[in-house]
Amino acid sequence: MFCRRSMRADAPLIDLSVFTYRPFTFSVLVIVLIQFVCLGLGFLIPNYAQLVNSQDAFLAGSLLLPGCLAGAVLSPVSGRLLDRFGAEKPILSGNLCVIVSLCCFSIFAGSLTAAVGTAVVSTIVASAQTAMPDQLAEATRQGSTHAFWLLFALSIVMILCSAGAFLTARRQSAS
């Protein structure tokens, strides 16, 4: 039987008190949202290319290659930018890039060969496909567009959390 006392330990495995430091909490939320967006893109881009644009699986998967290569090439550059300018400018600039790209995906999803998603996003697409089973390509396009808007909204939350982390840390270090 579950005992409430078992929830408390003298030396807990995870010290949850770190979440009382607001910059840390905001930063963790940003990391979660970035992962959500990246994994969502990894699902929707090939899915959209195959089902909406009738591309083969090789081409659909290859659409992810430029982003992977850019990430690999830009990692050392990003580290140098972080060392030179501190965390605030590079992170907020990156967040703005995510917002712009997701806004473009949201607006132009009908004409692009890419989309966004993962578990939640795939559910949105699947719901649209279920609603229109005879029009799979159109349902996928509509579901992908809705998923893009969701990820765009999450990217807004992401930049607000990043800004909140930096502003809170600045206030706490000033006092």
Side-chain angles (χ1 to χ4, degrees), residues 92-112:
L92 291 177
S93 298
N95 288 347
L96 283 173
C97 290
V98 169
I99 287 173
V100 169
S101 65
L102 287 173
C103 183
C104 289
F105 272 129
S106 302
I107 293 169
F108 302 114
S111 61
L112 292 179

PDB file of all heavy atoms in Angstrom, residues 92-112:
ATOM      1  N   LEU A  92      18.324  34.658 -26.956  1.00  0.00           N
ATOM      2  CA  LEU A  92      17.150  35.393 -27.413  1.00  0.00           C
ATOM      3  C   LEU A  92      17.126  35.509 -28.934  1.00  0.00           C
ATOM      4  O   LEU A  92      16.058  35.435 -29.553  1.00  0.00           O
ATOM      5  CB  LEU A  92      17.087  36.772 -26.752  1.00  0.00           C
ATOM      6  CG  LEU A  92      16.799  36.758 -25.249  1.00  0.00           C
ATOM      7  CD1 LEU A  92      16.823  38.168 -24.682  1.00  0.00           C
ATOM      8  CD2 LEU A  92      15.472  36.081 -24.943  1.00  0.00           C
ATOM      9  N   SER A  93      18.291  35.658 -29.570  1.00  0.00           N
ATOM     10  CA  SER A  93      18.354  35.689 -31.038  1.00  0.00           C
ATOM     11  C   SER A  93      17.907  34.349 -31.624  1.00  0.00           C
ATOM     12  O   SER A  93      17.152  34.310 -32.604  1.00  0.00           O
ATOM     13  CB  SER A  93      19.771  35.996 -31.508  1.00  0.00           C
ATOM     14  OG  SER A  93      20.175  37.252 -31.070  1.00  0.00           O
ATOM     15  N   GLY A  94      18.364  33.269 -31.027  1.00  0.00           N
ATOM     16  CA  GLY A  94      17.941  31.943 -31.480  1.00  0.00           C
ATOM     17  C   GLY A  94      16.454  31.736 -31.305  1.00  0.00           C
ATOM     18  O   GLY A  94      15.777  31.173 -32.182  1.00  0.00           O
ATOM     19  N   ASN A  95      15.917  32.193 -30.178  1.00  0.00           N
ATOM     20  CA  ASN A  95      14.475  32.083 -29.947  1.00  0.00           C
ATOM     21  C   ASN A  95      13.694  32.880 -30.982  1.00  0.00           C
ATOM     22  O   ASN A  95      12.649  32.434 -31.464  1.00  0.00           O
ATOM     23  CB  ASN A  95      14.114  32.560 -28.544  1.00  0.00           C
ATOM     24  CG  ASN A  95      14.554  31.600 -27.460  1.00  0.00           C
ATOM     25  OD1 ASN A  95      14.913  30.464 -27.733  1.00  0.00           O
ATOM     26  ND2 ASN A  95      14.558  32.052 -26.231  1.00  0.00           N
ATOM     27  N   LEU A  96      14.190  34.059 -31.333  1.00  0.00           N
ATOM     28  CA  LEU A  96      13.525  34.857 -32.365  1.00  0.00           C
ATOM     29  C   LEU A  96      13.551  34.141 -33.712  1.00  0.00           C
ATOM     30  O   LEU A  96      12.561  34.182 -34.456  1.00  0.00           O
ATOM     31  CB  LEU A  96      14.166  36.234 -32.486  1.00  0.00           C
ATOM     32  CG  LEU A  96      13.797  37.233 -31.391  1.00  0.00           C
ATOM     33  CD1 LEU A  96      14.626  38.515 -31.519  1.00  0.00           C
ATOM     34  CD2 LEU A  96      12.318  37.562 -31.431  1.00  0.00           C
ATOM     35  N   CYS A  97      14.661  33.488 -34.021  1.00  0.00           N
ATOM     36  CA  CYS A  97      14.741  32.710 -35.270  1.00  0.00           C
ATOM     37  C   CYS A  97      13.714  31.589 -35.279  1.00  0.00           C
ATOM     38  O   CYS A  97      13.076  31.319 -36.305  1.00  0.00           O
ATOM     39  CB  CYS A  97      16.142  32.135 -35.457  1.00  0.00           C
ATOM     40  SG  CYS A  97      17.386  33.373 -35.840  1.00  0.00           S
ATOM     41  N   VAL A  98      13.537  30.920 -34.146  1.00  0.00           N
ATOM     42  CA  VAL A  98      12.537  29.857 -34.047  1.00  0.00           C
ATOM     43  C   VAL A  98      11.143  30.433 -34.274  1.00  0.00           C
ATOM     44  O   VAL A  98      10.332  29.867 -35.018  1.00  0.00           O
ATOM     45  CB  VAL A  98      12.621  29.143 -32.674  1.00  0.00           C
ATOM     46  CG1 VAL A  98      11.433  28.230 -32.447  1.00  0.00           C
ATOM     47  CG2 VAL A  98      13.915  28.367 -32.556  1.00  0.00           C
ATOM     48  N   ILE A  99      10.852  31.581 -33.665  1.00  0.00           N
ATOM     49  CA  ILE A  99       9.541  32.202 -33.824  1.00  0.00           C
ATOM     50  C   ILE A  99       9.288  32.554 -35.293  1.00  0.00           C
ATOM     51  O   ILE A  99       8.221  32.259 -35.839  1.00  0.00           O
ATOM     52  CB  ILE A  99       9.417  33.455 -32.933  1.00  0.00           C
ATOM     53  CG1 ILE A  99       9.285  33.035 -31.473  1.00  0.00           C
ATOM     54  CG2 ILE A  99       8.224  34.314 -33.340  1.00  0.00           C
ATOM     55  CD1 ILE A  99       9.331  34.177 -30.495  1.00  0.00           C
ATOM     56  N   VAL A 100      10.264  33.173 -35.932  1.00  0.00           N
ATOM     57  CA  VAL A 100      10.100  33.565 -37.337  1.00  0.00           C
ATOM     58  C   VAL A 100       9.888  32.336 -38.218  1.00  0.00           C
ATOM     59  O   VAL A 100       8.980  32.309 -39.067  1.00  0.00           O
ATOM     60  CB  VAL A 100      11.311  34.401 -37.814  1.00  0.00           C
ATOM     61  CG1 VAL A 100      11.285  34.592 -39.321  1.00  0.00           C
ATOM     62  CG2 VAL A 100      11.324  35.758 -37.116  1.00  0.00           C
ATOM     63  N   SER A 101      10.706  31.304 -38.020  1.00  0.00           N
ATOM     64  CA  SER A 101      10.571  30.118 -38.866  1.00  0.00           C
ATOM     65  C   SER A 101       9.235  29.409 -38.642  1.00  0.00           C
ATOM     66  O   SER A 101       8.587  28.982 -39.602  1.00  0.00           O
ATOM     67  CB  SER A 101      11.739  29.159 -38.647  1.00  0.00           C
ATOM     68  OG  SER A 101      11.737  28.653 -37.335  1.00  0.00           O
ATOM     69  N   LEU A 102       8.804  29.302 -37.397  1.00  0.00           N
ATOM     70  CA  LEU A 102       7.528  28.640 -37.142  1.00  0.00           C
ATOM     71  C   LEU A 102       6.351  29.481 -37.630  1.00  0.00           C
ATOM     72  O   LEU A 102       5.342  28.932 -38.075  1.00  0.00           O
ATOM     73  CB  LEU A 102       7.383  28.311 -35.659  1.00  0.00           C
ATOM     74  CG  LEU A 102       8.268  27.154 -35.193  1.00  0.00           C
ATOM     75  CD1 LEU A 102       8.213  27.002 -33.694  1.00  0.00           C
ATOM     76  CD2 LEU A 102       7.880  25.866 -35.887  1.00  0.00           C
ATOM     77  N   CYS A 103       6.488  30.789 -37.572  1.00  0.00           N
ATOM     78  CA  CYS A 103       5.447  31.652 -38.132  1.00  0.00           C
ATOM     79  C   CYS A 103       5.354  31.431 -39.640  1.00  0.00           C
ATOM     80  O   CYS A 103       4.257  31.302 -40.193  1.00  0.00           O
ATOM     81  CB  CYS A 103       5.737  33.114 -37.805  1.00  0.00           C
ATOM     82  SG  CYS A 103       4.445  34.240 -38.376  1.00  0.00           S
ATOM     83  N   CYS A 104       6.498  31.348 -40.304  1.00  0.00           N
ATOM     84  CA  CYS A 104       6.504  31.084 -41.758  1.00  0.00           C
ATOM     85  C   CYS A 104       5.901  29.716 -42.058  1.00  0.00           C
ATOM     86  O   CYS A 104       5.106  29.579 -42.999  1.00  0.00           O
ATOM     87  CB  CYS A 104       7.919  31.178 -42.307  1.00  0.00           C
ATOM     88  SG  CYS A 104       8.558  32.856 -42.352  1.00  0.00           S
ATOM     89  N   PHE A 105       6.281  28.690 -41.290  1.00  0.00           N
ATOM     90  CA  PHE A 105       5.687  27.371 -41.488  1.00  0.00           C
ATOM     91  C   PHE A 105       4.174  27.451 -41.311  1.00  0.00           C
ATOM     92  O   PHE A 105       3.419  26.863 -42.081  1.00  0.00           O
ATOM     93  CB  PHE A 105       6.240  26.361 -40.477  1.00  0.00           C
ATOM     94  CG  PHE A 105       7.492  25.668 -40.904  1.00  0.00           C
ATOM     95  CD1 PHE A 105       8.590  25.625 -40.060  1.00  0.00           C
ATOM     96  CD2 PHE A 105       7.583  25.030 -42.124  1.00  0.00           C
ATOM     97  CE1 PHE A 105       9.750  24.975 -40.431  1.00  0.00           C
ATOM     98  CE2 PHE A 105       8.741  24.363 -42.507  1.00  0.00           C
ATOM     99  CZ  PHE A 105       9.825  24.346 -41.653  1.00  0.00           C
ATOM    100  N   SER A 106       3.716  28.172 -40.288  1.00  0.00           N
ATOM    101  CA  SER A 106       2.286  28.271 -40.006  1.00  0.00           C
ATOM    102  C   SER A 106       1.537  28.939 -41.144  1.00  0.00           C
ATOM    103  O   SER A 106       0.456  28.502 -41.537  1.00  0.00           O
ATOM    104  CB  SER A 106       2.060  29.066 -38.717  1.00  0.00           C
ATOM    105  OG  SER A 106       2.728  28.475 -37.640  1.00  0.00           O
ATOM    106  N   ILE A 107       2.106  29.990 -41.677  1.00  0.00           N
ATOM    107  CA  ILE A 107       1.436  30.748 -42.732  1.00  0.00           C
ATOM    108  C   ILE A 107       1.508  30.029 -44.078  1.00  0.00           C
ATOM    109  O   ILE A 107       0.526  29.955 -44.809  1.00  0.00           O
ATOM    110  CB  ILE A 107       2.046  32.162 -42.840  1.00  0.00           C
ATOM    111  CG1 ILE A 107       1.716  32.952 -41.571  1.00  0.00           C
ATOM    112  CG2 ILE A 107       1.532  32.886 -44.072  1.00  0.00           C
ATOM    113  CD1 ILE A 107       2.478  34.254 -41.443  1.00  0.00           C
ATOM    114  N   PHE A 108       2.672  29.476 -44.397  1.00  0.00           N
ATOM    115  CA  PHE A 108       2.894  28.917 -45.728  1.00  0.00           C
ATOM    116  C   PHE A 108       2.855  27.402 -45.785  1.00  0.00           C
ATOM    117  O   PHE A 108       3.315  26.816 -46.766  1.00  0.00           O
ATOM    118  CB  PHE A 108       4.231  29.409 -46.286  1.00  0.00           C
ATOM    119  CG  PHE A 108       4.328  30.903 -46.355  1.00  0.00           C
ATOM    120  CD1 PHE A 108       5.237  31.587 -45.572  1.00  0.00           C
ATOM    121  CD2 PHE A 108       3.495  31.623 -47.190  1.00  0.00           C
ATOM    122  CE1 PHE A 108       5.337  32.965 -45.625  1.00  0.00           C
ATOM    123  CE2 PHE A 108       3.577  32.996 -47.262  1.00  0.00           C
ATOM    124  CZ  PHE A 108       4.495  33.683 -46.476  1.00  0.00           C
ATOM    125  N   ALA A 109       2.300  26.748 -44.778  1.00  0.00           N
ATOM    126  CA  ALA A 109       2.319  25.282 -44.733  1.00  0.00           C
ATOM    127  C   ALA A 109       1.666  24.654 -45.951  1.00  0.00           C
ATOM    128  O   ALA A 109       2.055  23.573 -46.373  1.00  0.00           O
ATOM    129  CB  ALA A 109       1.636  24.774 -43.467  1.00  0.00           C
ATOM    130  N   GLY A 110       0.708  25.309 -46.541  1.00  0.00           N
ATOM    131  CA  GLY A 110       0.045  24.756 -47.711  1.00  0.00           C
ATOM    132  C   GLY A 110       0.954  24.689 -48.920  1.00  0.00           C
ATOM    133  O   GLY A 110       0.754  23.860 -49.799  1.00  0.00           O
ATOM    134  N   SER A 111       1.974  25.541 -48.991  1.00  0.00           N
ATOM    135  CA  SER A 111       2.806  25.564 -50.188  1.00  0.00           C
ATOM    136  C   SER A 111       4.240  25.093 -49.932  1.00  0.00           C
ATOM    137  O   SER A 111       5.008  24.980 -50.857  1.00  0.00           O
ATOM    138  CB  SER A 111       2.851  26.982 -50.751  1.00  0.00           C
ATOM    139  OG  SER A 111       3.415  27.862 -49.811  1.00  0.00           O
ATOM    140  N   LEU A 112       4.609  24.836 -48.699  1.00  0.00           N
ATOM    141  CA  LEU A 112       5.962  24.366 -48.399  1.00  0.00           C
ATOM    142  C   LEU A 112       6.019  22.849 -48.437  1.00  0.00           C
ATOM    143  O   LEU A 112       5.005  22.166 -48.358  1.00  0.00           O
ATOM    144  CB  LEU A 112       6.400  24.837 -47.004  1.00  0.00           C
ATOM    145  CG  LEU A 112       6.619  26.331 -46.832  1.00  0.00           C
ATOM    146  CD1 LEU A 112       7.007  26.627 -45.407  1.00  0.00           C
ATOM    147  CD2 LEU A 112       7.709  26.817 -47.756  1.00  0.00           C
TER     148      LEU A 112
END
